[in-house]
Structure formats: C-alpha cells, structure tokens
Amino acid sequence: MTAPAPAFTIEQHSGPIAADERAARLANPGFGKVFTDHMVTIRYAEGRGWHDARVTARAPLLLDPATAVLHYAQEIFEGLKAYRTPEGGAALFRAEMNARRFIDSAERLAMAPLPEELFLESIRQLVRVDRDWIPDAEGGALYLRPFMIASEVFLGVKPSAEYLYIVIASSVGAYFKGGAPSVTLWISEDFTRAAPGGTGAAKCGGNYAASLQAQSEAIREGCDQVVFLDAVERRWIEELGGMNTFFVFEDGSLQTPPLGGTILPGVTRDSLLTLARDSGMTVREEPYAIDQWQADATSGRLRESFACGTAAVVTPIGRVRGRARDFAIGNGGPGLATERLKTALTAIQRCTAPDPHGWVERLF
C-alpha cells in the first residue's frame, strides 16, 4: 500500500531580500546567479517513505563527509521554468513531463522515485511563496531546479537507504550572453557524452561532468558549445552538452536524432516536434551523420539547424567547426522555420496564445 503524500510545512523566511534589492537583482539577472528566498526539502528513508516536506528559507546544506552522494554520485536533477502571465500570474509548462523524467532518472540510478504529484506540488509551493522573484522583463522566467541526492552516511557500494530532495529557484534572463543571432559548435572528436547501456537518457550530474572537458575545448577554439557524436561509430550526431539538435531542409521538413537511451528526452524537444507536426511540417526522428550535415549545409539542402532546451529555449546554430571541418548553415543566423517554432512555443509558455494540448498550468 502506497503511503499518503506528506503535507507541506511552510516556514516563511524571517529576513527575506528587501523589495528594492530584489528589483535591482531582477533588472539584469543573467542565468543561474540570482536565487530566491526559499527552497523545498523532502526526505526519504527506507521503511518510512517520503516525509518531512517543507518550504523553508534557502540555506546551506550540512553533510557528513561520508554522505553517499559524495562518494558514489547518486544524484539526479531537473530544470523547468515558471513564466509570468500577461495578467501578472504565473504558469508552469509541461511540468508533469519533468516529473516523469525525474522518476525515470531515479530508477536508472537505483534511487527512490519521487511520486509525480509530490514533485508537482513541491514546484507549485515554491513558485507561490517566491512569486515576486519572477522577472517581468522580456525573456525572463523563474528557473526551477529540483534535485535529489543520496543522503545516507556510509561507505559501501550499494544504493542509498536515504535521500534528500530539494527544489531551489533562480530568476533568469537569456542563457547565452551577448545576444548573438546564432551559436557556433565545436565537434568533439576525443570525447563522447554517453554510450549504449549508460545513463544518457537520465538527467544526472555525471553526464554533465563528463561533458565539461569537451565544452572547455570548444571555448578554447572560440566556439559556444560542443556537439557530441555517438560512442560506437563516432559518426552520428547526438546532442550538445545540454541541448537537443534539429535540422530543417529545403523541402521544409524537420529532422532530429532519435531517442535510444543515449540522448536525453527533452521536454522542449518533444514540444517542438508536436508544434512542427501541427503546422504541417514533415517530421523525422532519424540518425543524421556528421558527414551528411556538412554536405547538406554546403549544397544548400540543409537550410537551418537549431538546438533546444529548457534553459536556452531555441537557439539557432550558425556554424559548425572541428579539427578538419568548418561550415556555415544557411545564412549563419536564425532561419524562418526556427523563428516560427520558437515564437509558437514561447507564446504558449507565456500564455499569449491558445494552448491546444493543455500544456500550461496556471498557478495564480
């Protein structure tokens, strides 16, 4: 029998950031640097289940040096946003998909799955209490970061018997700096992001840690992001360090690499596929080789490429470089299909267009 979901205890911050200081921080928040007053914590223990759900003042964690996550990396996370609505309220976009992916990630890492409704309620609670931290500026949002760590204190290779789930929130603006019309990618030849049978479809910190050396190489080469090839043939395009990839062809069709355990099933990815089909585009989820990408870009058969994810939303890819490659895509900037899909997606997210698929949950 499933234990009932714990009720939330709300502990308001005794000394929240003053309104004028908050406004100053929200004027130009950047990404991931401005944090709200509160956080959510929920605990899990074998034999007891999920318990002690709280909204409290945001504060540092106190961990024993033998806490399991520090040694065996049982850790997962999610990323989603709360958007300001035209009426001054707030809305979530497809948060149930994040909840289900969080369960999938937990199961892959042998962690206790957090029930979907408990995940969703934790998000709602934090957005309601920190509603004033949602930026009003164009493109602004409240970025929500739920994560879970193995919190049992032990040294032994086994799944933890205890877990700590936390949600923090950050007021954000644009993900990429400088307002460039597109990004340049660096093809990683020495590193791969994920392999068949690995954790590529899970949203765990190890995947991102493994991408950082390749991302650093991309930055040294004057590029914005790294693009990974498959681990077996080193031929097929998979995804960027933290975003899915799309390709738009001269016949108006749209293609993206298929999911298969090595690519993260992105919420934005799934939404764009649906919106593209709604608009009448032919959509394919098929492998696409790096040689073909270069040939199609050079011949003009490929008109546009873009990357997508919750943080950056939709980002045009203008150029692709590598040790023996350097090719531009289209006009090097945003294409018509890319802009059309981005506009359609963000209008639904921000409640300025109809929501035919019921993706949006208005909180207040």
Side-chain angles (χ1 to χ4, degrees):
M1 186 167 133
T2 303
F8 280 82
T9 299
I10 310 297
E11 301 173 8
Q12 291 283 350
H13 198 305
S14 61
I17 300 296
D20 55 347
E21 173 62 21
R22 183 177 64 238
R25 296 185 187 187
L26 295 184
N28 184 23
F31 196 94
K33 295 182 178 180
V34 174
F35 295 97
T36 67
D37 291 311
H38 297 85
M39 66 182 189
V40 168
T41 59
I42 312 176
R43 297 186 178 275
Y44 174 90
E46 280 187 3
R48 185 176 180 185
W50 291 100
H51 62 281
D52 196 20
R54 295 178 179 274
V55 179
T56 65
R58 185 177 179 273
L61 303 180
L62 181 63
L63 297 177
D64 188 284
T67 301
V69 67
L70 303 176
H71 302 272
Y72 309 114
Q74 273 190 296
E75 181 273 347
I76 58 173
F77 68 97
E78 271 299 325
L80 65 159
K81 290 177 177 176
Y83 302 90
R84 180 75 69 190
T85 66
E87 301 80 18
L92 299 175
F93 179 77
R94 306 194 75 181
E96 71 284 351
M97 282 196 71
N98 297 94
R100 290 194 289 269
R101 189 170 65 184
F102 200 69
I103 292 172
D104 292 341
S105 296
E107 291 176 343
R108 178 62 185 85
L109 271 76
M111 303 174 75
L114 182 77
E116 179 178 332
E117 184 54 37
L118 191 52
F119 177 101
L120 294 172
E121 187 58 26
S122 72
I123 299 300
R124 297 176 188 126
Q125 292 282 353
L126 187 57
V127 174
R128 289 187 182 114
V129 75
D130 279 339
R131 60 195 295 170
D132 293 336
W133 286 91
I134 306 175
D136 290 321
E138 183 179 356
L142 188 64
Y143 183 81
L144 298 153
R145 171 53 59 86
F147 65 100
M148 182 165 63
I149 63 172
S151 56
E152 184 182 1
V153 176
F154 76 101
L155 295 178
V157 183
K158 72 173 186 68
S160 178
E162 298 176 4
Y163 295 96
L164 175 61
Y165 168 79
I166 301 174
V167 190
I168 57 175
S170 174
S171 307
V172 300
Y175 184 76
F176 288 107
K177 299 176 182 178
S182 64
V183 295
T184 298
L185 305 185
W186 178 258
I187 305 162
S188 179
E189 298 182 25
D190 297 327
F191 306 102
T192 57
R193 178 188 170 274
T199 59
K203 200 166 178 68
C204 59
N207 291 346
Y208 294 81
S211 75
L212 295 180
Q213 191 170 0
Q215 177 63 21
S216 296
E217 181 184 31
I219 298 299
R220 287 196 302 271
E221 295 292 339
C223 299
D224 302 290
Q225 271 280 329
V226 62
V227 58
F228 290 102
L229 305 179
D230 73 288
V232 178
E233 298 183 59
R234 309 300 286 272
R235 175 188 177 196
W236 305 104
I237 300 159
E238 294 225 312
E239 62 177 282
L240 276 58
M243 290 180 281
N244 298 119
T245 53
F246 279 83
F247 314 95
V248 182
F249 298 91
E250 61 182 351
D251 63 0
S253 63
L254 182 72
Q255 185 170 333
T256 192
L259 302 177
T262 60
I263 294 176
L264 186 73
V267 176
T268 307
R269 174 190 183 276
D270 184 82
S271 303
L272 290 171
L273 288 172
T274 299
L275 293 175
R277 293 188 179 102
D278 288 349
S279 71
M281 296 180 76
T282 298
V283 175
R284 298 184 297 275
E285 296 181 66
E286 297 176 357
Y288 195 50
I290 184 63
D291 289 342
Q292 195 64 50
W293 196 7
Q294 181 170 0
D296 289 343
T298 302
S299 70
R301 177 175 177 264
L302 178 77
R303 296 295 176 86
E304 307 170 37
S305 288
F306 62 87
C308 70
T310 297
V313 193
V314 175
T315 301
I317 300 168
R319 194 167 201 89
V320 180
R321 296 180 51 222
R323 291 174 187 166
R325 301 180 191 273
D326 190 347
F327 58 93
I329 297 170
N331 62 7
L336 293 177
T338 301
E339 289 295 284
R340 185 173 66 249
L341 288 170
K342 179 180 180 179
T343 298
L345 175 65
T346 55
I348 295 173
Q349 290 173 332
R350 298 179 182 280
C351 302
T352 60
D355 175 23
H357 299 285
W359 286 341
V360 172
E361 178 186 356
R362 293 176 181 255
L363 298 183
F364 50 83

